[in-house]
Amino acid sequence: QSFYYFSSFAALQPLQKPIVYSVPSGNYGNLTGGVFAKKMGLPIDQFIAASNVNDVVPKYLKTGVYAPTHSIQSISNAMDVGAPSNFERLQSLYPEFETIQKMILGHSFSDAQTKNTLKKVYETHNYLLDPHGAVAYLGLIEYLQLYQNKIGIFLETAHPAKFKDVVDEILHKDIEIPEKLKAFAQKEKRSILIKNEYQSVVEIILDKNVV
């Protein structure tokens, strides 16, 4: 995921303004990829951790207290994580709280705010967000209202058709499913049962007959 940051940064670098990223965050893998990119030398000015009501990390960034909890269901369901596994990776990269607090700003938004934004962006810009991208968009707009001299990038993490029922209900329309996504939905599901042990995992990875 770090490559996304390098590619998008290169596209906007000629504008010669500080570049910030708003990342839809649940398990914080995508944001960690951005932090890796910064560690590799990409001069990202600021990260925005945009979450839904599962706001354990935004709360930590405000208070310094990390209190994992049970997840709460939302329409941006891939972000419904109450104890993100990548949090320790972020802490290992920036162990000092003051440093990580300065580099990452945390914001959280409700389902109502997410729905309203998804609808408003579609009606105003004819751009179709998915619920996760809508949360990131909200985080970026809130930030740029305070820092208008910067350029913002918000990340999308999935096609809106993946959340078709939710998006259709918000927009009151039948959104089109891309042909590639239709093809995946028609494929046969295959699964292989393996033992919960290291050697079994190694064997299945090395087995050339497993496709």
Side-chain angles (χ1 to χ4, degrees):
Q1 289 172 317
S2 297
F3 290 104
Y4 305 153
Y5 294 86
F6 281 96
S7 177
S8 56
F9 193 99
L12 292 183
Q13 192 176 23
L15 297 177
Q16 296 183 339
K17 289 186 177 182
I19 298 176
V20 303
Y21 283 83
S22 181
V23 187
S25 301
N27 203 35
Y28 289 81
N30 206 325
L31 182 59
T32 303
V35 173
F36 276 131
K38 185 175 177 66
K39 276 284 192 178
M40 285 187 276
L42 191 66
I44 295 171
D45 185 74
Q46 184 80 64
F47 292 101
I48 302 159
S51 80
N52 56 29
V53 290
N54 294 275
D55 58 352
V56 58
V57 172
K59 284 181 178 177
Y60 162 76
L61 292 169
K62 289 181 175 69
T63 66
V65 178
Y66 180 60
T69 184
H70 296 293
S71 62
I72 303 170
Q73 188 174 1
S74 78
I75 61 170
S76 49
N77 53 26
M79 294 159 56
D80 294 348
V81 183
S85 62
N86 287 293
F87 178 74
E88 291 184 3
R89 290 187 175 94
L90 288 172
Q91 278 195 312
S92 67
L93 290 167
Y94 290 96
E96 294 183 359
F97 172 69
E98 292 76 13
T99 303
I100 197 169
Q101 186 186 42
K102 182 179 179 181
M103 185 180 60
I104 304 173
L105 298 178
H107 295 281
S108 61
F109 303 95
S110 67
D111 276 357
Q113 290 173 295
T114 304
K115 290 178 181 180
N116 182 62
T117 296
L118 198 151
K119 187 173 187 292
K120 183 178 179 181
V121 169
Y122 182 74
E123 292 175 347
T124 305
H125 303 289
N126 195 33
Y127 184 85
L128 190 58
L129 292 163
D130 84 292
H132 305 72
V135 171
Y137 179 87
L138 273 166
L140 181 60
I141 292 301
E142 190 170 291
Y143 179 85
L144 290 180
Q145 287 175 349
L146 300 175
Y147 303 95
Q148 298 178 12
N149 63 322
K150 300 183 181 183
I151 300 173
I153 297 173
F154 73 93
L155 302 187
E156 282 275 20
T157 56
H159 193 282
K162 185 179 178 181
F163 314 93
K164 180 171 169 55
D165 291 343
V166 172
V167 176
D168 281 357
E169 181 182 352
I170 295 170
L171 300 181
H172 304 293
K173 65 177 295 179
D174 183 12
I175 66 168
E176 184 178 354
I177 301 176
E179 291 301 322
K180 288 184 178 180
L181 192 56
K182 286 182 182 177
F184 276 115
Q186 295 168 358
K187 288 182 178 292
E188 178 187 358
K189 182 178 179 179
R190 297 179 59 193
S191 60
I192 300 171
L193 185 66
I194 64 174
K195 295 179 180 179
N196 183 20
E197 58 184 24
Y198 174 75
Q199 189 56 39
S200 296
V201 176
V202 171
E203 290 173 2
I204 204 74
I205 291 174
L206 297 179
D207 189 346
K208 295 181 180 179
N209 295 317
V210 177
V211 179

